[in-house]
Amino acid sequence: MNRDVRARVALGAGIVSGAALVWALSALIGARSGVEQTTERLGPTPVSVFRPASTSQAEADRPVVVIAHGFAGSQQLMRSHALTLARNGYLAVSFDFLGHGRNREPLRGDITEIEGATRHLVKQTRQVIDHALSKPDAGGGLALLGHSMASDILVRTARSDPRVDATVTFSMFSPAVTSTVPKNLLTITGELEGFLRKEALRVVGLVTDDPKVGVTYGSFEEGTARRAAVAGGVEHVGILFSTDGLQEALKWLDQVFDRTSTEPVARRGLAIAVLFLALGVLAWPLSRFLPRVCREPAGASLSWKAFVPAVAVPAIATPLLLMEFPPDFLSVLVGGYLAVHFGLYGILTFGCLFWLARRYPEAAPYRRRVLVGPLAAASAAAVVYGAGSVGWAMDTFVTSFAVTSARLPLVFAMFLGTAAYFSADEWLTRGHPSPRGAQWVSRAAFLASLGLAVVLSFEDLFFLLIISFVILLYFGIYGLFGEWVYRATGHPAPGAVTNAVAFAWALAVVFPMLAG
């Protein structure tokens, strides 16, 4: 494809992605129509209250639904449910757990112990319930709705609070469930969550000898209703945006409170996917405006024979060397470990590059003359768009990405690790010539390295399995960013800095903060 054809294709991609971006933003903003949202603080806890914008319903007749997010989540992640319930006449109240999102109070106690962090989270949930029920338009009953980690918290809360009429859980795992507690339990799992689907059937099996998906057992009037439902085609995060899941939850609560909802559910999943796809594709035509940093493409320019050991050594050595490393390093559960894994992996990769440079001189990192001014300008522009646009979209429409004062030092600390990894990885996989698909092989090796780390320290690092899909998604998005930035500038550094900033930002703000 010659230069003129590439320019025309890039222009077409820019026009299409721009139009898609406008559509996605319009759909996401439109999803808020008919709903009034107010933001409050209950001590350190950010609380959002969603109610119908219309006043046709009696002011004191709204069933209350307290909504709780899962591990490494935030109340924004549960917004599709809050909007769906509010537009159908419910009073939906969401909040950030201790140590999560915009909650400035760190989480205390061992996250794996019932008498540790769980006790504090149950206490916090009770406080939010009391706050929600104090609203003047609350008065039609109480239900709890939560995802993943929150499912166990809500089950334990409902067990000790007779005011709870129903509990809806997504991706639930809770040993506290019995045949009678909590009342009117609906558990929804994603079609791609095999283990948790078995857990849902086990829970329903407490009240019947032949549990089946999609069948309701027990009585709503007596509080013994039980149902296991499946949301088609989704995994642990996608389930929160699933139309199946939203409809199942709304229908269940309508049955509990003897209501009939007429408004559609908030279908935001497709718009969110289009938004990020458009931001990613738009980076291609925009990258063509970046200044050229090197006349000839810089990078290691390795053959497959030299490339494979440079990928394999850090992938295997890093988890072995970090077997005894604390998972709560920097007081951020799992996130601190991930930053160190990135950093050590990068250092070992640099070591392999310098060792290979004895035989392949081009492998030596940054042995290439660069234009400092254009390098700085290209790196800054790539970071502003690549990290900034995605961070803004995540915080506005998906989950909390705010850098609070308590988390700001963590961003810099995480950046030390991510910068080491992405600088080494970008140099390793670039050059002319370089192995076709080298970057994707290298990123797959890193994911395999994380998998090995989980196997070696499962109890400490099993939360990595929960967010593995998000890491994979980030690798996909920023892999494309890095590729287009490299083609435009001819140097690995701008793409490496963009990746490093984006991942450091995510690690510092998403994972829960723990008390020291």
Side-chain angles (χ1 to χ4, degrees):
M1 187 184 298
N2 62 45
R3 183 176 298 180
D4 291 339
V5 173
R6 284 199 301 267
R8 287 195 291 270
V9 173
L11 177 61
I15 293 172
V16 171
S17 57
L21 188 62
V22 171
W23 175 85
L25 291 173
S26 299
L28 290 169
I29 294 172
R32 302 172 182 172
S33 63
V35 176
E36 174 188 307
Q37 177 185 352
T38 57
T39 302
E40 307 165 355
R41 274 202 176 268
L42 182 60
T45 302
V47 176
S48 295
V49 180
F50 299 80
R51 51 171 57 89
S54 66
T55 58
S56 58
Q57 189 177 357
E59 283 297 313
D61 190 30
R62 301 198 197 284
V64 174
V65 184
V66 173
I67 302 173
H69 62 80
F71 173 80
S74 68
Q75 58 176 316
Q76 286 104 308
L77 201 56
M78 309 299 292
R79 188 165 292 167
S80 294
H81 290 278
L83 294 173
T84 293
L85 293 170
R87 66 168 53 159
N88 281 286
Y90 290 87
L91 185 69
V93 180
S94 62
F95 65 101
D96 284 337
F97 272 128
L98 296 167
H100 290 74
R102 286 170 166 81
N103 196 315
R104 296 189 295 263
E105 186 76 14
L107 179 59
R108 302 181 184 278
D110 190 333
I111 192 71
T112 63
E113 296 293 332
I114 295 174
E115 293 303 317
T118 298
R119 176 168 55 87
H120 295 292
L121 296 178
V122 169
K123 179 181 178 181
Q124 181 190 15
T125 304
R126 289 173 180 158
Q127 293 171 342
V128 174
I129 289 174
D130 292 340
H131 180 72
L133 292 176
S134 70
K135 298 297 177 183
D137 50 345
L142 172 66
L144 307 179
L145 183 152
H147 174 237
S148 191
M149 175 191 77
S151 63
D152 183 56
I153 304 303
L154 298 186
V155 167
R156 295 179 188 279
T157 301
R159 184 172 62 181
S160 59
D161 192 334
R163 297 174 295 180
V164 179
D165 300 303
T167 301
V168 177
T169 63
F170 289 81
S171 306
M172 184 186 75
F173 182 84
S174 175
V177 177
T178 70
S179 60
T180 58
V181 177
K183 296 178 186 176
N184 297 324
L185 174 64
L186 168 66
T187 176
I188 306 170
T189 52
E191 186 179 6
L192 306 181
E193 296 183 295
F195 168 72
L196 293 177
R197 288 174 62 190
K198 293 178 181 178
E199 173 64 12
L201 286 175
R202 182 195 70 81
V203 167
V204 174
L206 296 174
V207 297
T208 178
D209 293 331
D210 186 26
K212 290 183 172 60
V213 170
V215 178
T216 300
Y217 302 90
S219 165
F220 286 103
E221 291 75 14
E222 297 176 3
T224 59
R226 293 285 189 273
R227 179 182 175 88
V230 173
V234 293
E235 33 55 62
H236 198 70
V237 177
I239 191 173
L240 296 177
F241 304 95
S242 163
T243 299
D244 292 344
L246 291 164
Q247 291 175 337
E248 284 279 358
L250 180 61
K251 181 180 178 181
W252 185 261
L253 293 175
D254 280 349
Q255 290 177 294
V256 170
F257 297 113
D258 192 23
R259 296 167 55 86
T260 301
S261 293
T262 58
E263 295 296 323
V265 299
R267 293 181 172 90
R268 299 166 68 241
L270 176 61
I272 289 174
V274 170
L275 172 65
F276 284 99
L277 180 62
L279 287 173
V281 174
L282 190 59
W284 176 30
L286 291 179
S287 69
R288 297 172 64 85
F289 293 98
L290 294 174
R292 190 73 181 176
V293 175
C294 283
R295 291 185 176 86
E296 297 296 328
S301 302
L302 296 176
S303 64
W304 276 111
K305 182 178 180 180
F307 175 79
V308 170
V311 170
V313 169
I316 297 172
T318 301
L320 294 176
L321 293 172
L322 295 178
M323 281 182 61
E324 302 299 325
F325 196 84
D328 55 353
F329 178 64
L330 296 177
S331 297
V332 181
L333 188 63
V334 178
Y337 171 86
L338 256 179
V340 174
H341 197 104
F342 271 118
L344 181 56
Y345 199 109
I347 291 171
L348 292 175
T349 303
F350 272 126
C352 291
L353 286 170
F354 282 114
W355 179 77
L356 288 169
R358 295 184 299 176
R359 185 172 179 182
Y360 307 96
E362 288 298 313
Y366 306 111
R367 183 177 289 179
R368 192 61 70 88
R369 194 171 185 177
V370 300
L371 302 173
V372 177
L375 175 62
S379 299
V383 167
V384 168
Y385 181 82
S389 65
V390 172
W392 166 81
M394 289 288 288
D395 188 65
T396 306
F397 300 111
V398 183
T399 190
S400 177
F401 250 56
V403 181
T404 61
S405 57
R407 292 183 183 267
L408 185 59
L410 294 176
V411 176
F412 293 104
M414 302 293 185
F415 180 74
L416 296 177
T418 57
Y421 168 75
F422 285 107
S423 296
D425 183 73
E426 283 287 321
W427 190 269
L428 173 68
T429 58
R430 304 300 184 187
H432 184 74
S434 62
R436 183 177 295 274
Q439 186 182 73
W440 305 110
V441 173
S442 179
R443 301 292 169 87
F446 182 85
L447 291 173
S449 181
L450 286 181
L452 178 57
V454 173
V455 171
L456 294 175
S457 304
F458 183 78
E459 185 175 340
D460 290 334
L461 299 177
F462 73 94
F463 281 117
L464 281 176
L465 296 178
I466 297 176
I467 52 90
S468 59
F469 174 77
V470 178
I471 296 176
L472 181 62
L473 180 64
Y474 250 53
F475 269 155
I477 292 173
Y478 286 102
L480 291 176
F481 277 166
E483 177 68 25
W484 290 326
V485 170
Y486 177 74
R487 289 182 183 180
T489 64
H491 199 279
V497 174
T498 303
N499 277 262
V501 170
F503 274 79
W505 184 355
L507 294 179
V509 302
V510 169
F511 291 100
M513 292 186 63
L514 306 180

